[in-house]
Amino acid sequence: MIDSHCHLDDPRLDACRGETLERARRAGVTCFVVAGTGADEWPRLQQLCREEAGIHAAYGIHPWYCDRHQPRHLEDLDALLDGAIALGECGLDATQGKPDADTQLWWLRRQLALAAERRLPVILHCVRSTMPLLTELHGFPELRGVVHGFGGSLEEARQFAMLGFHIGIGAMVLRERASKAHRLAAGLPLAHLMLETDAPDGLPGELNEPANLPRIADTVAALRGQPASAIIAASDANTTELFRL
């Protein structure tokens, strides 16, 4: 199985990264797309790729941290993309306490332009920002990618799918009262579905990990009334094609 979005470079995993990877591999998760979130973390992700098999790196500037960066970091990012499968994680987040909208848009637009120039897919973060993000993507019709850990509605997801984007389905479906996430997982066409954990985030009160990916697949399968093997096969095929793994 492929975990299409996780953060195995996260410092919270420093004391247990080896065990985390071992549990994942025992669970059948052997390939990991790790999305970088900012310049401070990029060297750690590079090192992780050198040390562990099955790690595929993307590099980007996350909207939460964009105000900590300078324009020169775009040059550093451009250089890193020579060895990357995608640009990301980038995007928009309208949650209170995050960088202001103008700052987020400045960084998003420049990263989308860089991805288009590089002909790389983008890994997008979208929280309470569906329409602004769709507006920006309409300006880059050549881009493809995935909106990871999508928390919007099925109707909103279809708008991203019409632009050629996949939708990341993660640990939210494991929550009993996540009715919107359940409707999304049940109704999204398999051609646009990608399974992810977003580890170590995604499970309130505990560290998430890629070993939970089969639970996510089983839950999605039950919601759709399909075999888990079909969900996993579709997600792995979509992830492999998008990122050219």
Side-chain angles (χ1 to χ4, degrees):
M1 294 182 68
I2 305 171
D3 188 343
S4 71
H5 189 101
C6 58
H7 299 280
L8 291 173
D9 57 330
D10 193 294
R12 288 173 289 174
L13 296 175
D14 285 350
C16 59
R17 187 170 289 107
E19 296 90 340
T20 298
L21 283 164
E22 182 179 350
R23 284 190 293 271
R25 289 162 179 155
R26 284 203 305 266
V29 185
T30 59
C31 185
F32 314 86
V33 176
V34 180
T37 58
D40 290 344
E41 288 75 34
W42 296 337
R44 186 163 56 243
L45 178 50
Q46 286 181 294
Q47 182 66 26
L48 180 61
C49 289
R50 289 191 288 265
E51 294 175 349
E52 294 287 348
I55 307 289
H56 300 277
Y59 298 97
I61 297 172
H62 195 289
W64 291 0
Y65 315 121
C66 61
D67 58 350
R68 304 178 189 178
H69 290 75
Q70 302 296 324
R72 62 180 172 81
H73 288 121
L74 289 170
E75 297 179 9
D76 299 335
L77 176 58
D78 187 23
L80 281 173
L81 294 177
D82 285 338
I85 62 167
L87 189 152
E89 177 176 355
C90 61
L92 297 174
D93 192 319
T95 307
Q96 187 175 4
K98 299 300 185 286
D100 65 85
D102 287 343
T103 300
Q104 290 190 38
L105 281 169
W106 192 93
W107 285 97
L108 173 65
R109 288 166 178 164
R110 278 147 187 82
Q111 290 182 88
L112 294 180
L114 184 54
E117 179 183 337
R118 286 280 193 157
R119 298 184 180 179
L120 283 172
V122 288
I123 298 173
L124 295 171
H125 174 103
C126 179
V127 176
R128 301 179 182 177
S129 303
T130 294
M131 294 314 298
L133 186 54
L134 284 167
T135 297
E136 296 303 317
L137 292 178
H138 276 290
F140 296 91
E142 71 275 34
L143 279 181
R144 296 187 63 216
V146 57
V147 187
H148 104 88
F150 189 62
S153 67
L154 177 59
E155 292 71 25
E156 290 172 329
R158 285 172 174 155
Q159 294 183 64
F160 285 107
M162 289 175 63
L163 296 179
F165 280 75
H166 296 301
I167 302 296
I169 302 292
M172 179 66 75
V173 298
L174 301 178
R175 304 179 194 179
E176 292 183 2
R177 298 184 179 181
S179 57
K180 185 162 65 172
H182 293 166
R183 287 195 296 271
L184 174 64
L188 185 70
L190 282 183
H192 293 285
L193 183 150
M194 285 168 53
L195 298 174
E196 62 166 79
T197 62
D198 200 20
D201 294 312
L203 291 177
E206 62 179 292
L207 287 183
N208 193 8
E209 54 184 271
N212 288 316
L213 197 65
R215 289 177 56 204
I216 295 170
D218 287 343
T219 302
V220 172
L223 289 166
R224 299 176 68 93
Q226 294 178 279
S229 58
I231 307 302
I232 293 167
S235 174
D236 284 357
N238 293 339
T239 306
T240 299
E241 188 274 334
L242 177 66
F243 296 129
R244 302 171 193 163
L245 300 181

